[in-house]
Amino acid sequence: MAFNAVFLTFDKKENSTKKPIIEPVTTNLTVLSVVLKEESSIINPILKVYNTANFNPYQLNYCYISKFGRYYFVNDWIYNIGEWECY
């Protein structure tokens, strides 16, 4: 089942509890349709991102998944057979 995830570039100091403001008017947001990879967890999800022609994820380091009500750091992006995987 696909759902939307909000990706953005966000800087904060180590051990900070600062969270980004996710608002529709924020211009640095990228909303993508994602699917959880099999055997993924809510704490450390692995997301499959489809339909990403000309998509460059390298600057995107933070993610908000409203379905889980959680914010995540993006640790890695891997391109695998026509789709991006977000760790």
Side-chain angles (χ1 to χ4, degrees):
M1 177 176 73
F3 56 91
N4 286 340
V6 178
F7 293 92
L8 63 147
T9 303
F10 184 70
D11 295 321
K12 70 178 191 175
K13 295 179 182 179
E14 189 174 337
N15 296 325
S16 170
T17 59
K18 181 179 175 185
K19 294 181 183 177
I21 298 171
I22 306 292
E23 295 179 1
V25 296
T26 307
T27 58
N28 65 342
L29 299 180
T30 303
V31 179
L32 298 171
S33 180
V34 299
V35 175
L36 278 176
K37 188 172 181 177
E38 291 181 28
E39 298 184 18
S40 186
S41 73
I42 301 261
I43 302 299
N44 294 306
I46 302 171
L47 305 173
K48 290 183 179 184
V49 182
Y50 297 101
N51 301 325
T52 54
N54 300 318
F55 175 63
N56 184 356
Y58 299 111
Q59 299 272 335
L60 303 175
N61 67 346
Y62 214 68
C63 176
Y64 176 70
I65 301 175
S66 62
K67 185 174 187 93
F68 303 154
R70 297 182 62 103
Y71 293 86
Y72 300 93
F73 278 110
V74 174
N75 294 313
D76 202 4
W77 286 97
I78 296 177
Y79 189 74
N80 185 16
I81 310 173
E83 65 191 30
W84 285 98
E85 293 180 356
C86 175
Y87 291 79

Coordinates of all heavy atoms in Angstrom, one line a residue:
M1 N 0.8 -1.2 0.0 CA 0.0 0.0 0.0 C 0.9 1.2 0.0 O 1.8 1.4 0.9 CB -0.9 0.0 1.2 CG -1.8 1.2 1.3 SD -2.9 1.2 2.7 CE -1.8 1.4 4.1
A2 N 0.7 2.1 -0.9 CA 1.5 3.3 -1.1 C 0.9 4.4 -0.2 O -0.3 4.5 0.1 CB 1.5 3.8 -2.5
F3 N 1.8 5.3 0.3 CA 1.4 6.4 1.1 C 2.5 7.5 0.8 O 3.5 7.3 0.2 CB 1.3 6.1 2.6 CG 2.5 5.5 3.2 CD1 3.5 6.3 3.8 CD2 2.7 4.2 3.2 CE1 4.7 5.8 4.3 CE2 3.9 3.6 3.8 CZ 4.8 4.4 4.3
N4 N 2.1 8.8 1.2 CA 3.0 9.9 1.0 C 4.0 10.1 2.1 O 3.6 9.9 3.3 CB 2.2 11.2 0.7 CG 1.6 11.2 -0.6 OD1 1.9 10.5 -1.5 ND2 0.5 12.0 -0.7
A5 N 5.2 10.5 1.8 CA 6.2 10.9 2.7 C 6.8 12.2 2.3 O 6.9 12.5 1.1 CB 7.3 9.8 2.8
V6 N 7.1 13.1 3.2 CA 7.6 14.4 3.0 C 9.1 14.4 3.2 O 9.6 14.0 4.3 CB 7.0 15.5 3.9 CG1 7.6 16.8 3.6 CG2 5.5 15.5 3.7
F7 N 9.9 14.7 2.2 CA 11.4 14.7 2.3 C 11.8 16.2 2.2 O 11.3 17.0 1.5 CB 12.0 13.9 1.1 CG 11.7 12.5 1.2 CD1 10.6 11.9 0.6 CD2 12.5 11.6 2.0 CE1 10.3 10.6 0.7 CE2 12.3 10.3 2.0 CZ 11.2 9.8 1.4
L8 N 12.9 16.5 2.9 CA 13.5 17.8 2.9 C 14.9 17.8 3.3 O 15.4 16.8 3.8 CB 12.7 18.8 3.8 CG 12.6 18.5 5.3 CD1 12.6 19.7 6.1 CD2 11.4 17.6 5.6
T9 N 15.6 18.9 3.2 CA 16.9 19.1 3.7 C 16.8 19.9 4.9 O 16.1 21.0 5.0 CB 17.8 19.9 2.6 OG1 17.8 19.2 1.4 CG2 19.2 20.1 3.1
F10 N 17.4 19.4 6.0 CA 17.2 20.0 7.3 C 18.5 19.8 8.1 O 19.0 18.7 8.2 CB 16.0 19.4 8.1 CG 15.7 20.0 9.4 CD1 15.2 21.3 9.5 CD2 16.0 19.3 10.6 CE1 14.9 21.8 10.7 CE2 15.7 19.8 11.8 CZ 15.1 21.1 11.9
D11 N 19.0 20.9 8.7 CA 20.2 20.9 9.5 C 19.9 21.1 10.9 O 19.1 22.0 11.2 CB 21.2 21.9 9.0 CG 21.7 21.6 7.6 OD1 21.9 20.5 7.3 OD2 21.9 22.6 6.8
K12 N 20.5 20.3 11.8 CA 20.4 20.6 13.2 C 21.7 20.0 13.9 O 22.4 19.2 13.4 CB 19.1 20.0 13.8 CG 19.1 18.5 13.9 CD 17.7 18.1 14.5 CE 17.7 16.6 14.8 NZ 16.5 16.2 15.6
K13 N 21.9 20.5 15.1 CA 23.1 20.0 15.9 C 22.8 18.6 16.4 O 21.7 18.2 16.7 CB 23.4 21.0 17.0 CG 23.8 22.4 16.5 CD 24.1 23.3 17.7 CE 24.4 24.7 17.1 NZ 24.7 25.6 18.2
E14 N 23.9 17.9 16.7 CA 23.8 16.6 17.2 C 23.1 16.6 18.6 O 23.3 17.5 19.4 CB 25.2 16.0 17.4 CG 25.2 14.5 17.8 CD 26.6 14.0 17.8 OE1 27.5 14.5 17.1 OE2 26.8 13.0 18.5
N15 N 22.2 15.7 18.8 CA 21.5 15.5 20.1 C 20.4 16.6 20.2 O 19.8 16.8 21.3 CB 22.3 15.5 21.3 CG 23.2 14.2 21.3 OD1 22.8 13.2 20.8 ND2 24.4 14.4 21.8
S16 N 20.1 17.4 19.2 CA 19.1 18.4 19.3 C 17.7 17.8 19.1 O 17.6 16.8 18.4 CB 19.3 19.5 18.1 OG 18.2 20.3 18.1
T17 N 16.7 18.4 19.7 CA 15.4 17.9 19.5 C 14.6 18.8 18.5 O 13.4 18.6 18.4 CB 14.6 17.9 20.9 OG1 14.6 19.2 21.4 CG2 15.3 16.9 21.8
K18 N 15.3 19.7 17.9 CA 14.6 20.6 16.9 C 14.0 19.7 15.8 O 14.6 18.8 15.3 CB 15.7 21.5 16.3 CG 15.1 22.5 15.3 CD 16.3 23.4 14.9 CE 15.8 24.3 13.8 NZ 16.9 25.1 13.2
K19 N 12.8 20.1 15.4 CA 12.1 19.5 14.3 C 11.7 20.5 13.2 O 11.5 21.7 13.6 CB 10.8 18.8 14.8 CG 11.0 17.7 15.7 CD 9.6 17.1 16.1 CE 9.8 16.0 17.1 NZ 8.5 15.4 17.6
P20 N 11.7 20.1 12.0 CA 11.3 21.1 11.0 C 9.8 21.4 11.0 O 9.1 20.6 11.5 CB 11.7 20.4 9.7 CG 11.6 19.0 10.0 CD 12.0 18.8 11.4
I21 N 9.5 22.6 10.5 CA 8.1 22.9 10.3 C 7.6 22.4 9.0 O 8.1 22.8 8.0 CB 7.9 24.4 10.5 CG1 8.4 24.9 11.8 CG2 6.4 24.8 10.2 CD1 8.4 26.4 12.0
I22 N 6.6 21.5 9.0 CA 6.1 20.9 7.8 C 4.8 21.7 7.5 O 3.8 21.4 8.1 CB 5.8 19.4 8.0 CG1 7.0 18.7 8.4 CG2 5.2 18.9 6.7 CD1 8.2 18.6 7.4
E23 N 4.8 22.6 6.5 CA 3.7 23.3 6.1 C 3.6 23.3 4.6 O 4.6 23.3 3.9 CB 3.8 24.8 6.6 CG 3.8 24.9 8.1 CD 3.9 26.4 8.5 OE1 4.0 27.3 7.6 OE2 3.9 26.6 9.7
P24 N 2.4 23.4 4.1 CA 2.2 23.4 2.6 C 2.9 24.6 1.9 O 3.3 24.5 0.8 CB 0.7 23.5 2.4 CG 0.1 23.1 3.7 CD 1.1 23.4 4.8
V25 N 3.2 25.7 2.6 CA 3.8 26.8 2.0 C 5.3 26.7 2.0 O 6.0 27.5 1.3 CB 3.4 28.1 2.7 CG1 1.9 28.4 2.5 CG2 3.8 28.1 4.1
T26 N 5.9 25.7 2.7 CA 7.3 25.6 2.7 C 7.8 25.1 1.3 O 7.3 24.2 0.8 CB 7.8 24.6 3.8 OG1 7.2 25.0 5.0 CG2 9.3 24.5 3.9
T27 N 8.8 25.8 0.7 CA 9.2 25.5 -0.6 C 10.2 24.4 -0.8 O 10.4 23.9 -1.9 CB 9.8 26.8 -1.3 OG1 10.9 27.3 -0.5 CG2 8.7 27.9 -1.4
N28 N 10.9 24.1 0.3 CA 11.9 23.1 0.2 C 11.4 21.6 0.5 O 12.2 20.8 0.8 CB 13.1 23.4 1.1 CG 12.7 23.3 2.6 OD1 11.5 23.4 2.9 ND2 13.7 23.3 3.4
L29 N 10.2 21.4 0.4 CA 9.6 20.1 0.6 C 9.4 19.3 -0.7 O 9.1 19.9 -1.7 CB 8.2 20.2 1.3 CG 8.1 20.9 2.6 CD1 6.7 20.9 3.1 CD2 9.0 20.2 3.6
T30 N 9.7 18.0 -0.6 CA 9.4 17.1 -1.7 C 8.5 16.0 -1.2 O 8.9 15.2 -0.3 CB 10.8 16.5 -2.2 OG1 11.6 17.5 -2.6 CG2 10.5 15.6 -3.4
V31 N 7.3 15.9 -1.7 CA 6.3 14.9 -1.3 C 6.4 13.8 -2.4 O 6.2 14.0 -3.5 CB 4.9 15.5 -1.2 CG1 3.9 14.4 -0.8 CG2 4.9 16.7 -0.2
L32 N 6.6 12.6 -1.9 CA 6.7 11.4 -2.8 C 5.9 10.3 -2.3 O 5.6 10.1 -1.1 CB 8.2 10.9 -2.8 CG 9.2 11.9 -3.3 CD1 10.6 11.3 -3.1 CD2 9.0 12.2 -4.8
S33 N 5.4 9.5 -3.3 CA 4.6 8.3 -2.9 C 5.6 7.2 -2.7 O 6.5 7.0 -3.5 CB 3.7 7.9 -4.1 OG 3.0 6.8 -3.8
V34 N 5.5 6.5 -1.5 CA 6.5 5.5 -1.1 C 5.7 4.3 -0.7 O 4.5 4.3 -0.4 CB 7.4 6.0 0.0 CG1 8.2 7.2 -0.4 CG2 6.5 6.3 1.3
V35 N 6.5 3.2 -0.6 CA 6.0 1.9 -0.1 C 7.1 1.4 0.8 O 8.3 1.5 0.6 CB 5.8 0.9 -1.3 CG1 5.4 -0.5 -0.8 CG2 4.8 1.4 -2.3
L36 N 6.6 0.8 1.9 CA 7.6 0.1 2.8 C 8.2 -1.1 2.2 O 7.4 -1.9 1.6 CB 6.9 -0.3 4.1 CG 6.7 0.8 5.2 CD1 5.9 0.2 6.4 CD2 8.0 1.4 5.7
K37 N 9.5 -1.3 2.3 CA 10.1 -2.5 1.8 C 9.7 -3.6 2.7 O 9.5 -3.4 3.9 CB 11.6 -2.3 1.8 CG 12.4 -3.4 1.1 CD 13.8 -3.1 1.0 CE 14.5 -4.2 0.3 NZ 15.9 -3.9 0.0
E38 N 9.6 -4.8 2.2 CA 9.3 -6.0 3.0 C 10.3 -6.1 4.1 O 11.5 -5.7 4.0 CB 9.3 -7.2 2.2 CG 8.2 -7.3 1.2 CD 8.2 -8.6 0.3 OE1 8.7 -9.6 0.8 OE2 7.7 -8.5 -0.8
E39 N 9.8 -6.6 5.3 CA 10.6 -6.7 6.5 C 11.2 -5.4 6.9 O 12.4 -5.3 7.2 CB 11.7 -7.8 6.3 CG 11.1 -9.1 6.0 CD 12.2 -10.2 5.9 OE1 13.3 -10.0 6.4 OE2 11.9 -11.3 5.3
S40 N 10.4 -4.4 6.9 CA 10.9 -3.0 7.4 C 10.2 -2.7 8.7 O 9.2 -3.3 9.1 CB 10.4 -2.0 6.3 OG 10.9 -0.7 6.6
S41 N 10.8 -1.8 9.4 CA 10.2 -1.5 10.7 C 9.7 0.0 10.8 O 10.1 0.8 9.9 CB 11.2 -1.7 11.8 OG 12.2 -0.7 11.8
I42 N 8.9 0.3 11.8 CA 8.5 1.7 12.0 C 9.6 2.6 12.5 O 9.7 3.7 12.2 CB 7.3 1.7 12.9 CG1 6.2 0.9 12.4 CG2 6.8 3.1 13.2 CD1 5.0 1.5 11.7
I43 N 10.5 2.0 13.3 CA 11.6 2.8 13.9 C 12.6 3.1 12.9 O 13.2 4.2 12.8 CB 12.2 2.0 15.1 CG1 11.1 1.7 16.1 CG2 13.4 2.7 15.7 CD1 10.5 2.9 16.8
N44 N 13.0 2.1 12.0 CA 14.0 2.3 11.0 C 13.4 1.8 9.6 O 13.8 0.7 9.1 CB 15.3 1.5 11.3 CG 15.9 2.1 12.5 OD1 16.2 3.3 12.6 ND2 16.2 1.2 13.5
P45 N 12.5 2.5 9.1 CA 11.9 2.0 7.8 C 12.8 2.1 6.6 O 13.7 2.9 6.6 CB 10.7 3.0 7.6 CG 11.1 4.3 8.3 CD 12.0 3.8 9.5
I46 N 12.6 1.2 5.7 CA 13.2 1.3 4.4 C 12.1 1.5 3.4 O 11.1 0.8 3.3 CB 13.9 0.0 4.1 CG1 15.0 -0.3 5.1 CG2 14.6 0.1 2.7 CD1 15.6 -1.7 5.0
L47 N 12.2 2.7 2.7 CA 11.1 3.1 1.8 C 11.5 2.9 0.3 O 12.7 3.2 0.0 CB 10.8 4.6 2.0 CG 10.4 5.0 3.4 CD1 10.3 6.5 3.5 CD2 9.2 4.3 3.9
K48 N 10.6 2.4 -0.5 CA 10.8 2.3 -1.9 C 10.1 3.5 -2.5 O 9.0 3.8 -2.3 CB 10.2 1.0 -2.5 CG 11.0 -0.2 -2.1 CD 10.4 -1.4 -2.8 CE 11.1 -2.7 -2.4 NZ 10.5 -3.9 -3.2
V49 N 10.9 4.2 -3.4 CA 10.3 5.4 -4.0 C 10.2 5.1 -5.5 O 11.2 4.8 -6.2 CB 11.2 6.6 -3.8 CG1 10.6 7.9 -4.4 CG2 11.4 6.8 -2.3
Y50 N 9.0 5.2 -6.1 CA 8.8 4.9 -7.5 C 8.6 6.2 -8.3 O 8.4 7.2 -7.8 CB 7.6 4.0 -7.7 CG 7.7 2.7 -7.0 CD1 7.1 2.4 -5.8 CD2 8.4 1.6 -7.6 CE1 7.2 1.2 -5.2 CE2 8.6 0.4 -7.0 CZ 8.0 0.2 -5.8 OH 8.1 -1.0 -5.2
N51 N 8.6 6.0 -9.7 CA 8.3 7.1 -10.6 C 9.2 8.3 -10.3 O 8.7 9.4 -10.0 CB 6.8 7.5 -10.5 CG 5.9 6.3 -10.9 OD1 6.3 5.5 -11.7 ND2 4.8 6.2 -10.2
T52 N 10.4 8.2 -10.3 CA 11.4 9.2 -9.9 C 12.3 9.6 -11.1 O 13.5 9.8 -10.9 CB 12.2 8.8 -8.7 OG1 12.9 7.6 -9.1 CG2 11.4 8.6 -7.5
A53 N 11.7 9.8 -12.3 CA 12.5 10.3 -13.4 C 13.1 11.6 -13.1 O 12.4 12.5 -12.5 CB 11.6 10.3 -14.6
N54 N 14.4 11.8 -13.3 CA 15.1 13.0 -13.0 C 15.1 13.4 -11.6 O 15.2 14.6 -11.2 CB 14.6 14.2 -13.9 CG 14.7 13.9 -15.4 OD1 15.7 13.4 -15.8 ND2 13.6 14.2 -16.1
F55 N 15.0 12.4 -10.7 CA 14.9 12.7 -9.2 C 16.3 12.6 -8.7 O 17.1 11.7 -9.0 CB 14.0 11.6 -8.6 CG 14.0 11.6 -7.1 CD1 13.5 12.7 -6.4 CD2 14.5 10.6 -6.4 CE1 13.5 12.8 -5.0 CE2 14.4 10.6 -5.0 CZ 13.9 11.7 -4.3
N56 N 16.7 13.6 -7.9 CA 18.1 13.6 -7.3 C 17.9 13.7 -5.8 O 17.7 14.8 -5.3 CB 18.8 14.8 -7.8 CG 20.3 14.8 -7.3 OD1 20.6 14.0 -6.5 ND2 21.0 15.8 -7.8
P57 N 18.0 12.6 -5.1 CA 17.7 12.6 -3.6 C 18.9 13.0 -2.7 O 18.7 13.1 -1.5 CB 17.3 11.2 -3.4 CG 18.2 10.4 -4.3 CD 18.2 11.3 -5.6
Y58 N 20.0 13.3 -3.3 CA 21.2 13.4 -2.5 C 21.2 14.5 -1.5 O 21.9 14.5 -0.5 CB 22.5 13.5 -3.4 CG 22.6 12.3 -4.3 CD1 22.4 12.3 -5.6 CD2 22.9 11.1 -3.7 CE1 22.5 11.2 -6.4 CE2 23.0 9.9 -4.5 CZ 22.9 10.0 -5.8 OH 23.0 8.9 -6.6
Q59 N 20.5 15.6 -1.7 CA 20.4 16.7 -0.7 C 19.3 16.4 0.3 O 19.3 17.1 1.3 CB 20.1 18.0 -1.5 CG 21.1 18.4 -2.5 CD 22.2 19.2 -1.8 OE1 22.0 19.8 -0.8 NE2 23.4 19.2 -2.4
L60 N 18.4 15.4 0.1 CA 17.3 15.2 1.0 C 17.8 14.3 2.2 O 18.1 13.2 2.0 CB 16.1 14.5 0.3 CG 15.6 15.3 -0.9 CD1 14.6 14.5 -1.6 CD2 15.1 16.6 -0.5
N61 N 17.8 14.9 3.4 CA 18.3 14.1 4.5 C 17.4 14.0 5.7 O 17.7 13.5 6.8 CB 19.6 14.8 5.0 CG 19.3 16.2 5.7 OD1 18.2 16.7 5.5 ND2 20.3 16.7 6.4
Y62 N 16.1 14.4 5.5 CA 15.1 14.3 6.6 C 13.8 13.9 6.0 O 13.5 14.2 4.8 CB 15.0 15.7 7.2 CG 14.8 15.6 8.7 CD1 15.7 15.1 9.6 CD2 13.6 16.0 9.2 CE1 15.4 15.1 11.0 CE2 13.3 16.0 10.6 CZ 14.2 15.5 11.5 OH 14.0 15.5 12.8
C63 N 13.0 13.2 6.7 CA 11.7 12.7 6.2 C 10.7 12.7 7.3 O 11.0 12.5 8.5 CB 11.9 11.2 5.8 SG 10.4 10.4 5.2
Y64 N 9.4 13.0 6.9 CA 8.3 13.0 7.8 C 7.3 12.1 7.2 O 6.9 12.3 6.1 CB 7.7 14.4 8.1 CG 6.5 14.3 8.9 CD1 6.6 14.0 10.3 CD2 5.2 14.6 8.4 CE1 5.4 13.9 11.1 CE2 4.1 14.5 9.2 CZ 4.2 14.2 10.5 OH 3.1 14.1 11.3
I65 N 6.8 11.1 8.0 CA 5.8 10.2 7.5 C 4.6 10.4 8.4 O 4.6 10.0 9.6 CB 6.2 8.7 7.6 CG1 7.5 8.5 6.7 CG2 5.1 7.8 7.1 CD1 8.1 7.2 6.7
S66 N 3.6 11.1 7.9 CA 2.4 11.4 8.7 C 1.6 10.2 9.1 O 1.0 10.1 10.2 CB 1.5 12.4 8.0 OG 1.0 11.8 6.8
K67 N 1.7 9.1 8.3 CA 1.0 7.9 8.6 C 1.5 7.3 10.0 O 0.8 6.7 10.7 CB 1.2 6.9 7.5 CG 0.4 5.6 7.7 CD 0.6 4.7 6.4 CE -0.2 3.5 6.5 NZ -1.5 3.7 5.8
F68 N 2.8 7.5 10.3 CA 3.4 7.0 11.5 C 3.5 8.1 12.5 O 3.8 7.9 13.7 CB 4.8 6.5 11.2 CG 4.9 5.4 10.2 CD1 6.0 5.2 9.5 CD2 3.8 4.5 10.0 CE1 6.1 4.1 8.6 CE2 3.9 3.5 9.1 CZ 5.0 3.3 8.4
G69 N 3.3 9.4 12.1 CA 3.5 10.5 13.0 C 4.9 10.7 13.5 O 5.1 11.1 14.6
R70 N 5.9 10.4 12.7 CA 7.3 10.4 13.1 C 8.2 11.1 12.1 O 7.9 11.1 10.9 CB 7.8 8.9 13.2 CG 7.1 8.2 14.3 CD 7.7 6.8 14.4 NE 9.1 6.9 14.8 CZ 9.6 6.6 16.0 NH1 8.8 6.3 17.0 NH2 10.9 6.7 16.2
Y71 N 9.3 11.7 12.6 CA 10.3 12.3 11.7 C 11.5 11.3 11.7 O 11.8 10.6 12.7 CB 10.8 13.6 12.4 CG 9.8 14.7 12.3 CD1 8.8 14.8 13.3 CD2 9.8 15.6 11.3 CE1 7.9 15.8 13.3 CE2 8.8 16.6 11.2 CZ 7.9 16.7 12.3 OH 7.0 17.7 12.2
Y72 N 12.2 11.3 10.6 CA 13.4 10.4 10.4 C 14.5 11.1 9.8 O 14.3 11.9 8.9 CB 13.0 9.2 9.5 CG 11.9 8.3 10.0 CD1 10.5 8.6 9.6 CD2 12.1 7.3 10.9 CE1 9.5 7.8 10.1 CE2 11.0 6.5 11.3 CZ 9.7 6.8 11.0 OH 8.7 6.0 11.4
F73 N 15.7 10.8 10.2 CA 16.9 11.1 9.4 C 17.1 10.1 8.3 O 16.8 8.9 8.4 CB 18.2 11.1 10.3 CG 18.4 12.3 11.1 CD1 18.3 12.2 12.5 CD2 18.7 13.5 10.5 CE1 18.4 13.3 13.3 CE2 18.9 14.6 11.3 CZ 18.7 14.5 12.7
V74 N 17.4 10.6 7.1 CA 17.7 9.7 6.0 C 19.2 9.4 6.1 O 20.0 10.3 5.9 CB 17.4 10.4 4.6 CG1 17.8 9.5 3.5 CG2 15.9 10.7 4.6
N75 N 19.5 8.2 6.3 CA 20.9 7.8 6.4 C 21.6 7.4 5.1 O 22.8 7.6 4.9 CB 21.0 6.5 7.3 CG 20.7 6.9 8.7 OD1 21.1 7.9 9.3 ND2 19.8 6.1 9.3
D76 N 20.7 7.0 4.1 CA 21.3 6.6 2.8 C 20.2 6.5 1.8 O 19.1 6.2 2.1 CB 22.0 5.2 2.9 CG 23.0 5.0 1.9 OD1 23.3 5.9 1.1 OD2 23.6 3.9 1.9
W77 N 20.6 6.7 0.5 CA 19.8 6.5 -0.7 C 20.5 5.5 -1.6 O 21.7 5.7 -1.8 CB 19.6 7.8 -1.5 CG 18.7 8.8 -0.8 CD1 19.0 9.9 -0.1 CD2 17.3 8.9 -1.0 NE1 17.9 10.6 0.3 CE2 16.8 10.0 -0.2 CE3 16.3 8.1 -1.6 CZ2 15.5 10.4 -0.1 CZ3 15.0 8.5 -1.5 CH2 14.6 9.6 -0.8
I78 N 19.8 4.5 -2.0 CA 20.4 3.5 -2.9 C 19.5 3.3 -4.1 O 18.2 3.2 -4.0 CB 20.5 2.1 -2.2 CG1 21.5 2.3 -1.0 CG2 21.0 1.0 -3.1 CD1 21.7 1.1 -0.2
Y79 N 20.1 3.4 -5.3 CA 19.3 3.1 -6.5 C 19.4 1.7 -6.9 O 20.5 1.1 -7.0 CB 19.9 4.0 -7.7 CG 19.1 4.0 -8.9 CD1 17.9 4.7 -9.0 CD2 19.5 3.3 -10.0 CE1 17.1 4.7 -10.1 CE2 18.7 3.3 -11.2 CZ 17.5 4.0 -11.2 OH 16.8 4.0 -12.3
N80 N 18.2 1.0 -7.0 CA 18.2 -0.4 -7.2 C 17.2 -0.8 -8.3 O 16.0 -0.7 -8.0 CB 17.9 -1.1 -5.9 CG 17.9 -2.6 -6.0 OD1 18.4 -3.2 -6.9 ND2 17.3 -3.3 -5.0
I81 N 17.6 -1.1 -9.5 CA 16.8 -1.6 -10.6 C 15.6 -0.6 -10.8 O 14.4 -1.0 -10.7 CB 16.3 -3.0 -10.3 CG1 17.4 -3.9 -10.0 CG2 15.5 -3.6 -11.6 CD1 17.0 -5.3 -9.6
G82 N 15.9 0.6 -11.1 CA 14.8 1.6 -11.5 C 14.1 2.2 -10.4 O 13.1 2.9 -10.6
E83 N 14.4 2.0 -9.2 CA 13.8 2.6 -8.0 C 14.8 3.0 -7.0 O 15.8 2.4 -6.8 CB 12.7 1.7 -7.4 CG 13.3 0.5 -6.8 CD 12.3 -0.6 -6.4 OE1 11.3 -0.7 -7.1 OE2 12.6 -1.3 -5.4
W84 N 14.4 4.1 -6.2 CA 15.2 4.5 -5.1 C 14.8 3.9 -3.8 O 13.6 3.7 -3.6 CB 15.2 6.0 -5.0 CG 16.0 6.8 -6.0 CD1 15.5 7.3 -7.2 CD2 17.4 7.0 -6.0 NE1 16.5 7.9 -7.9 CE2 17.7 7.7 -7.2 CE3 18.4 6.7 -5.1 CZ2 19.0 8.1 -7.5 CZ3 19.7 7.1 -5.4 CH2 20.0 7.8 -6.5
E85 N 15.7 3.5 -3.0 CA 15.4 3.0 -1.7 C 16.0 4.0 -0.7 O 17.1 4.4 -0.8 CB 16.0 1.6 -1.4 CG 15.3 0.6 -2.3 CD 15.9 -0.8 -2.1 OE1 16.9 -1.0 -1.3 OE2 15.4 -1.7 -2.7
C86 N 15.2 4.4 0.3 CA 15.5 5.4 1.3 C 15.7 4.6 2.6 O 14.8 4.0 3.1 CB 14.5 6.4 1.4 SG 14.7 7.6 2.7
Y87 N 16.9 4.8 3.2 CA 17.2 4.1 4.5 C 17.3 5.2 5.6 O 17.8 6.2 5.4 CB 18.5 3.4 4.5 CG 18.4 2.2 3.6 CD1 18.5 2.3 2.2 CD2 18.3 0.9 4.1 CE1 18.4 1.1 1.4 CE2 18.2 -0.2 3.3 CZ 18.3 -0.1 2.0 OH 18.2 -1.2 1.2

